[in-house]
Amino acid sequence: MRIQNSLKNFTSGLGTMVISNVLAFVARTVFIAILDKSYLGVNGLLTNILSMLSLAELGIGTAINFSLYKPIAEEDDNKIALLMNFYKKAYRYIGIVVFLVGLVLMMFLDFIVKDQGEVKNLKLIFLIYLINTSYSYFMTHKVTLLNAYQKSYILAPINIIFNIITTIAQIIILIVTKNYIAYLIINMIVLLIQRLYTNHKITKMYPILNKKTNEKIPKKELDLIVKNVKAMMFHKVGDYCINGTDNIIISSFISISVVGIYSNYLMIINMINGVILMFFNSMTASMGNLISTESDEKKRESFEIINFIGMWLFGFTTVCLYNLLNPFIEIWLGKTFLISQGILAVVILNYYLTGMRVPVATMKMAAGLYDEDKFTPLIQASINLIVSIVLVKKIGLMGVFIGTLVSSLVLPCWQRPYIIYKHIFKVSSKDYFIKYLKYLIIVICMTIGLQQIFSMIFLQVTVVNFIIRVIVCAIVPNIIFILLFNKTKEFKEVLKIVDKISGGSIKCIKRLV
């Protein structure tokens, strides 16, 4: 059942993600063709600023989601209703706080944006973003219940339909009006309708959401939620300072146009990353169930399998992104939208190191281990900000990403694996780090090796040689992975899972061979 629910969530999420990414790419192409690239920078910058305001959520959603696993397994409807009512009230207060803080922050926009380029009415644009962000807190808490029941796949058709509607409407508005504010307003209207419809559907599925109760959460359980929220607060603040401040630093010390150039790379990286994260997010509830019911040895074996899958997925995409991103951007938008291969190398290395922490984070979140490393993100964030600001003044854009890289190596790459091996598996983490280094060396060698081959064969970028690059990147890394790992326990277990999901197709292929 765990595998089936995870598979349903992943496949539905994957379908939604692929369609959304195609639509986003089409919309971005029209956007760039009609509006100045400064607007791209504003889009990326304001997204970062508003993600800072979302820190007011303090991880309440994650803590409630974890608290729902047990009552759902025990079919305790009263406890579920109690938790959801608490969640709903908390989110109402958060929505109000986000809006009020946003209004204050709006007065300081001129200090954050160094060079606005051709962008006009920046404060009005920010206000639209702010409204879109703040009202979401009044309408999205019900989705958490669906996720806890491992049924997020039910929303896939709704998300696809509304994504199509939004993209078509935004493209029409851009072509007709060439107005960025109208572009934002149409997105806000469609998103409001989508959220209203989604909430209506979830409430029909779970009428318990309409149950009113004056009962209070028992002190012991409330203390656990508060403890997890406090820990998640540190994580959210730290994660924002690590991942959400790059565009603000670039805008403040370089220019909003450079934010726009980088945003194209970030969009593509986030598309790829989103598909992989969809896979791991679909497993969180299942892993929570496994942790509650299985032995320590079984937990460790399951983690090592998903860690191996993570290495394969993030390793393969690292090779592809490093070798294909610049040629793709050059064909799509032209050389004026490129960043150097050296800067790209640091960006992609950050992508891989962050990616390899995803399996660890999945296991850690499923186990509810929020408190053990709550100060780590703050330490990492401080290092990131200090190094990034110092280096951006000396070496420009490269310095921003080196700051992120340095902060990543200081603590999270080794501390979080140590925590899950100590508290969940109760064994030494030595084997994990040996495999981690082996995986890293293999991925780096493949990435650099293919880049050297391409640089010798292709002296310029064309559509034909880009297609050849894609084919080579799709085949060679996977063949190398198979040759290197086909005898490992993790590889064999992954084959068994694939065989089970595909109805025995792997066994049939082996017999034919």
Side-chain angles (χ1 to χ4, degrees):
M1 184 59 71
R2 293 190 199 112
I3 293 176
Q4 290 175 345
N5 284 332
S6 294
L7 182 63
K8 283 182 181 179
N9 288 331
F10 174 63
T11 52
S12 62
L14 178 62
T16 303
M17 183 72 71
V18 169
I19 293 172
S20 298
N21 286 345
V22 170
L23 293 172
F25 180 77
V26 172
R28 174 65 65 107
T29 303
V30 175
F31 189 104
I32 292 171
I34 293 176
L35 298 176
D36 183 78
K37 62 185 177 184
S38 298
Y39 283 97
L40 281 179
V42 167
N43 184 70
L45 175 64
L46 296 188
T47 299
N48 273 178
I49 293 174
L50 289 167
S51 66
M52 177 179 67
L53 294 181
S54 72
L55 294 176
E57 194 265 348
L58 299 178
I60 292 175
T62 304
I64 293 292
N65 198 57
F66 175 71
S67 299
L68 283 168
Y69 290 151
K70 184 177 180 181
I72 285 175
E74 296 175 350
E75 299 182 356
D76 188 345
D77 288 349
N78 188 61
K79 182 61 66 62
I80 294 170
L82 193 60
L83 287 168
M84 292 307 296
N85 272 300
F86 172 79
Y87 191 19
K88 179 181 179 180
K89 290 176 183 177
Y91 258 37
R92 283 179 176 173
Y93 290 117
I94 290 167
I96 294 169
V97 169
V98 166
F99 185 73
L100 294 176
V101 173
L103 290 179
V104 174
L105 189 60
M106 188 167 66
M107 296 186 291
F108 298 94
L109 277 181
D110 292 336
F111 296 98
I112 298 172
V113 182
K114 182 179 180 181
D115 177 14
Q116 294 186 16
E118 296 186 9
V119 178
K120 298 177 181 178
N121 301 312
L122 184 60
K123 290 185 178 179
L124 176 59
I125 292 170
F126 179 83
L127 182 61
I128 295 171
Y129 270 88
L130 177 61
I131 293 171
N132 209 21
T133 300
S134 57
Y135 82 68
S136 68
Y137 288 100
F138 294 87
M139 309 180 68
T140 57
H141 68 282
K142 295 180 181 180
V143 177
T144 297
L145 183 63
L146 204 64
N147 292 336
Y149 272 104
Q150 302 180 52
K151 292 185 178 181
S152 57
Y153 57 85
I154 290 172
L155 298 182
I158 299 171
N159 293 334
I160 290 172
I161 290 169
F162 276 97
N163 274 334
I164 292 171
I165 293 171
T166 302
T167 303
I168 292 173
Q170 286 183 318
I171 289 174
I172 291 173
I173 286 292
L174 275 180
I175 293 173
V176 173
T177 68
K178 295 180 173 58
N179 188 295
Y180 183 57
I181 293 175
Y183 171 90
L184 295 177
I185 290 174
I186 196 68
N187 176 69
M188 183 172 65
I189 292 171
V190 176
L191 192 56
L192 174 61
I193 296 170
Q194 179 182 356
R195 284 168 174 163
L196 289 170
Y197 179 76
T198 298
N199 276 0
H200 174 71
K201 185 175 181 66
I202 295 173
T203 304
K204 282 185 67 177
M205 290 176 60
Y206 302 103
I208 193 174
L209 286 166
N210 289 324
K211 182 178 179 180
K212 304 295 181 182
T213 176
N214 293 321
E215 185 180 348
K216 293 184 178 180
I217 298 174
K219 187 177 185 304
K220 184 178 179 181
E221 294 182 27
L222 185 60
D223 287 344
L224 178 61
I225 292 173
V226 171
K227 177 185 176 183
N228 287 336
V229 167
K230 286 179 179 178
M232 286 302 299
M233 175 184 68
F234 290 110
H235 284 282
K236 289 180 76 68
V237 171
D239 288 345
Y240 170 78
C241 292
I242 295 160
N243 302 311
T245 55
D246 285 352
N247 283 342
I248 296 175
I249 294 173
I250 295 169
S251 171
S252 301
F253 290 93
I254 305 177
S255 76
I256 197 71
S257 295
V258 175
V259 175
I261 291 171
Y262 172 59
S263 71
N264 295 315
Y265 287 83
L266 192 60
M267 181 189 76
I268 297 169
I269 291 171
N270 285 342
M271 284 180 177
I272 303 297
N273 195 44
V275 172
I276 301 176
L277 290 181
M278 187 73 65
F279 170 77
F280 286 101
N281 290 340
S282 69
M283 293 193 301
T284 302
S286 299
M287 295 306 293
N289 179 267
L290 179 142
I291 288 170
S292 301
T293 59
E294 300 289 356
S295 67
D296 294 339
E297 179 65 20
K298 179 65 176 178
K299 296 171 193 174
R300 185 178 62 81
E301 289 176 356
S302 299
F303 168 73
E304 288 177 353
I305 292 169
I306 66 171
N307 190 58
F308 175 74
I309 294 171
M311 179 280 301
W312 196 305
L313 294 175
F314 285 106
F316 167 66
T317 50
T318 291
V319 175
C320 293
L321 287 169
Y322 182 72
N323 286 286
L324 299 176
L325 251 181
N326 266 347
F328 177 76
I329 295 289
E330 184 174 337
I331 291 171
W332 176 33
L333 300 173
K335 291 185 177 181
T336 57
F337 283 85
L338 292 177
I339 62 176
S340 72
Q341 198 70 24
I343 294 174
L344 181 62
V346 181
V347 170
I348 301 304
L349 182 56
N350 277 327
Y351 163 81
Y352 176 78
L353 294 178
T354 303
M356 283 304 293
R357 296 200 295 273
V358 169
V360 176
T362 301
M363 181 63 69
K364 186 170 167 289
M365 186 178 298
L369 293 175
Y370 308 121
D371 197 56
E372 283 71 13
D373 64 335
K374 61 185 178 184
F375 295 114
T376 297
L378 296 182
I379 297 170
Q380 185 186 0
S382 300
I383 295 170
N384 176 45
L385 288 173
I386 292 169
V387 176
S388 293
I389 291 172
V390 169
L391 291 183
V392 73
K393 294 178 180 179
K394 296 180 179 296
I395 57 176
L397 188 60
M398 173 79 84
V400 178
F401 305 123
I402 289 178
T404 306
L405 178 62
V406 171
S407 68
S408 179
L409 295 172
V410 171
L411 274 177
C413 281
W414 63 268
Q415 188 191 36
R416 288 175 183 170
Y418 171 79
I419 287 171
I420 67 166
Y421 271 82
K422 178 182 179 181
H423 293 280
I424 302 177
F425 312 139
K426 300 177 178 62
V427 296
S428 170
S429 54
K430 179 181 176 181
D431 289 343
Y432 169 86
F433 290 112
I434 292 172
K435 287 181 180 178
Y436 184 94
L437 288 174
K438 181 171 71 174
Y439 292 160
L440 178 62
I441 291 169
I442 290 169
V443 170
I444 289 176
C445 289
M446 284 195 299
T447 304
I448 295 175
L450 279 181
Q451 195 272 333
Q452 291 297 315
I453 292 171
F454 289 145
S455 64
M456 289 188 292
I457 297 175
F458 304 123
L459 301 179
Q460 59 182 357
V461 176
T462 66
V463 174
V464 173
N465 67 43
F466 177 75
I467 293 172
I468 295 172
R469 290 173 193 250
V470 171
I471 294 170
V472 172
C473 286
I475 295 173
V476 173
N478 289 306
I479 290 176
I480 293 174
F481 281 142
I482 292 171
L483 292 175
L484 292 175
F485 299 112
N486 71 90
K487 297 187 183 299
T488 63
K489 182 179 179 180
E490 293 88 350
F491 184 85
K492 292 175 181 177
E493 289 299 320
V494 170
L495 279 186
K496 288 180 184 178
I497 294 171
V498 173
D499 188 60
K500 183 178 180 180
I501 293 171
S502 61
S505 61
I506 301 295
K507 291 179 181 176
C508 292
I509 292 170
K510 284 183 177 180
R511 282 198 293 268
L512 288 172
V513 174

